[in-house]
Amino acid sequence: MEDETPLLTDIQKISFQEHLLTHPKMPCTVWQGKRSGSGYGLFEIDGKLHFAHKIAWQIKYGFSLPEFINTTHLPTMTLLYLLYILIIFVK
């Protein structure tokens, strides 16, 4: 598993989004691609596996989170606060 999330090309973004399942009555998006043994979504870029939630963050917000931030173990409110801070200070 690669630690650093690479920037994606437009073709890679399209390929990533083909693995997403959304439903109009559900507030979440479900990953339909590869999964790790512990259930985390995985996406392959240039032969290397990356966590799908980190790729999704990068596509949505245009930048990768610093690697010291472990998004898989933060409560939702902490993530929302972090997003608020990043939006304010990273302009």
Side-chain angles (χ1 to χ4, degrees), residues 32-53:
Q32 297 294 301
K34 294 179 185 177
R35 291 185 181 271
S36 70
S38 55
Y40 290 106
L42 299 173
F43 185 68
E44 188 173 331
I45 301 170
D46 298 328
K48 298 175 184 172
L49 292 174
H50 301 272
F51 286 115
H53 62 277

Side-chain angles (χ1 to χ4, degrees), residues 5 8 11 15 18 29 32 35 40 47 59 63 65 73 76 80 84 88 90:
T5 306
L8 274 68
I11 292 172
S15 176
E18 289 173 348
T29 301
Q32 297 294 301
R35 291 185 181 271
Y40 290 106
I59 290 172
F63 61 93
L65 283 174
H73 298 284
T76 302
L80 291 174
Y84 171 76
I88 298 234
V90 184

